């Protein structure tokens, strides 16, 4: 038997989240069984647990789009019992049971072997948010946006993706401009992570012009909406903005002007179904360029039973940095 946070939907469509004791016989099919040690609370997890958005597509569901732990059984010769592993995305917590449980069973192709640089707790302090942030950094590098080209703007900078992006970009030598709606409250935190300039979210929240004065060589955007539109309008010629989220809006109220008059690239980042080789590249980059002390400073640990309440806090913009879920607490 093991404990899990189980989402259930009744005949009236009401969704409940309850700590439940389950038997391993209830686990889905898969080649690898993992004793889960930690998971995370991401924006998508919060939407799922609170049923704010139709994230879950199969019921009942163990949510949690991340997990890290130790392999206890494997039918794949390339995945050894006793190995520390991490799983990000692959639609776990949405279509397949995820990380909010003490035991998980997954497909072997979803496994990423944990770099020696990280413990399982640190891996989940990074989680999908940090892994996505690194994918965004790789997208900037792929488009030749080097530190010498100019500053990089990071929106939603005090959130999970933003916090890791600020830290990694700073470590790589970029000048980082961090966008936040709480400059007075979050300024010290963001500067400690490496931000050199703070940008008030309100300055980027209005209607975007087709083009604005060029300010940034590139950006990492986790919010979408008018903020992304304003960032694109102020991106330098041949710059690149990596977009990975929609915390403000799914809409993009902009014109083609940044793309056809300045050659700006909008690079979409889909961390869920990223191929294994790119995942390994991202985790290797994190192992090299993410300061462990910075990671610890942005991390808070909660128990499995704390997830529903903390999910509501996250959606209310009351959570900073990364939330690790200790599934055994």
């Amino acid at each position: 038997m093991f404990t899990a946070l189980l989402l259930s939907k009744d005949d009236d469509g009401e969704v409940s989240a309850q700590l439940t004791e389950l038997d391993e016989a209830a686990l889905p099919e898969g080649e690898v069984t993992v004793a889960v040690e930690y998971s995370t609370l991401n924006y998508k997890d919060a939407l799922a647990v609170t049923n704010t958005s139709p994230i879950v597509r199969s019921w009942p569901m163990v949510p949690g789009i991340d997990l890290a732990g130790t392999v206890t059984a494997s039918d794949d010769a390339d995945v050894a019992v006793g190995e520390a592993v991490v799983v990000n995305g692959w639609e776990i917590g949405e279509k397949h049971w995820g990380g909010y449980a003490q035991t998980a069973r997954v497909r072997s192709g979803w496994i990423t072997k944990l770099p020696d640089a990280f413990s399982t707790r640190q891996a989940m302090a990074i989680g999908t948010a940090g892994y996505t942030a690194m994918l965004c950094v790789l997208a900037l590098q792929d488009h030749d946006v080097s530190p010498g080209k100019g500053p990089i703007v990071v929106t939603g900078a005090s959130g999970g993706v933003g916090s890791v992006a600020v830290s990694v970009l700073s470590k790589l030598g970029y000048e980082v401009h961090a966008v936040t709606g709480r400059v007075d409250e979050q300024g010290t935190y963001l500067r400690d992570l490496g931000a050199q300039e703070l940008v008030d979210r309100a300055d980027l929240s209005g209607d975007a012009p087709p083009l604005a004065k060029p300010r940034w060589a590139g950006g990492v955007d986790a919010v979408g909406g008018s903020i992304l539109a304003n960032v694109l309008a102020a991106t330098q010629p041949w710059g690149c903005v990596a977009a990975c989220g929609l915390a403000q809006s799914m809409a993009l109220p902009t014109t083609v002007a940044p793309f056809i008059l300045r050659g700006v690239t909008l690079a979409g980042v889909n961390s869920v179904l990223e191929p294994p080789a790119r995942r390994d590249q991202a985790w290797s980059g994190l192992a090299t360029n993410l300061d462990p002390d910075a990671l610890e400073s942005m991390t808070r640990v909660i128990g499995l039973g704390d997830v529903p309440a903390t999910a509501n806090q996250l959606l209310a913009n009351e959570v900073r940095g990364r939330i690790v879920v200790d599934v055994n607490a």
Side-chain angles (χ1 to χ4, degrees):
M1 302 294 290
F2 63 93
T3 302
L5 182 67
L6 191 69
L7 300 183
S8 302
K9 180 187 284 188
D10 64 21
D11 293 339
D12 296 325
E14 293 294 320
V15 174
S16 62
Q18 301 289 335
L19 287 181
T20 306
E21 293 296 313
L22 297 173
D23 190 280
E24 283 199 18
L27 290 169
E29 293 183 356
E31 296 80 30
V32 179
T33 303
V34 179
V36 182
E37 296 166 20
Y38 297 98
S39 184
T40 66
L41 179 62
N42 299 284
Y43 184 74
K44 185 182 287 187
D45 296 316
L47 293 174
V49 170
T50 61
N51 197 36
T52 304
S53 184
I55 300 297
V56 175
R57 286 167 281 168
S58 177
W59 303 90
M61 174 59 61
V62 174
I65 64 173
D66 292 319
L67 64 87
T70 304
V71 175
T72 58
S74 174
D75 295 328
D76 188 323
D78 291 330
V79 181
V81 171
E83 279 192 307
V85 297
V86 60
V87 180
N88 303 112
W90 299 115
E91 299 181 309
I92 67 169
E94 303 176 63
K95 291 176 63 177
H96 315 286
W97 280 18
Y100 291 169
Q102 293 170 330
T103 305
R105 185 169 293 140
V106 297
R107 298 294 185 186
S108 59
W110 302 346
I111 292 287
T112 298
K113 296 179 182 180
L114 189 61
D116 292 339
F118 299 123
S119 66
T120 53
R121 181 186 183 279
Q122 289 173 316
M124 291 295 93
I126 294 167
T128 281
Y131 149 70
T132 301
M134 191 66 222
L135 290 174
C136 290
V137 174
L138 292 176
L140 298 183
Q141 293 174 332
D142 289 345
H143 288 85
D144 197 31
V145 181
S146 60
K149 295 292 180 65
I152 304 298
V153 63
V154 178
T155 70
S158 63
V161 173
S163 294
V164 176
V166 169
S167 181
V168 170
L169 287 164
S170 175
K171 180 79 177 294
L172 286 168
Y174 291 89
E175 178 184 334
V176 181
H177 294 186
V179 180
T180 176
R182 298 174 288 172
V183 172
D184 292 339
E185 181 182 345
Q186 304 294 357
T188 299
Y189 168 75
L190 291 169
R191 289 191 185 281
D192 286 346
L193 290 180
Q196 291 177 260
E197 185 172 317
L198 303 178
V199 180
D200 195 316
R201 183 174 62 201
D203 295 342
L204 298 175
S205 296
D207 293 339
L211 292 173
K213 180 181 178 181
R215 299 176 64 182
W216 300 298
V220 173
D221 177 73
V223 300
S226 62
I227 291 178
L228 175 55
N230 276 284
V231 166
L232 289 167
T235 299
Q236 298 171 7
W238 314 115
C240 175
V241 178
C244 63
L246 43 72
Q248 183 192 54
S249 174
M250 188 180 289
L252 182 55
T254 189
T255 72
V256 297
F259 312 115
I260 65 173
L261 297 181
R262 288 186 180 162
V264 171
T265 296
L266 177 60
V269 173
N270 173 12
S271 64
V272 176
L273 300 176
E274 201 72 36
R278 188 68 161 181
R279 291 170 180 267
D280 290 341
Q281 185 183 7
W283 279 98
S284 177
L286 288 163
T288 303
N289 298 301
L290 182 57
D291 184 337
D293 291 336
L295 181 63
E296 185 63 27
S297 74
M298 66 178 80
T299 301
R300 176 161 64 100
V301 181
I302 64 172
L304 197 55
D306 300 320
V307 167
T310 311
N312 280 300
Q313 294 170 5
L314 192 155
L315 295 181
N317 200 30
E318 297 172 356
V319 170
R320 182 176 77 183
R322 300 290 297 126
I323 301 295
V324 171
V325 180
D326 183 344
V327 301
N328 297 297

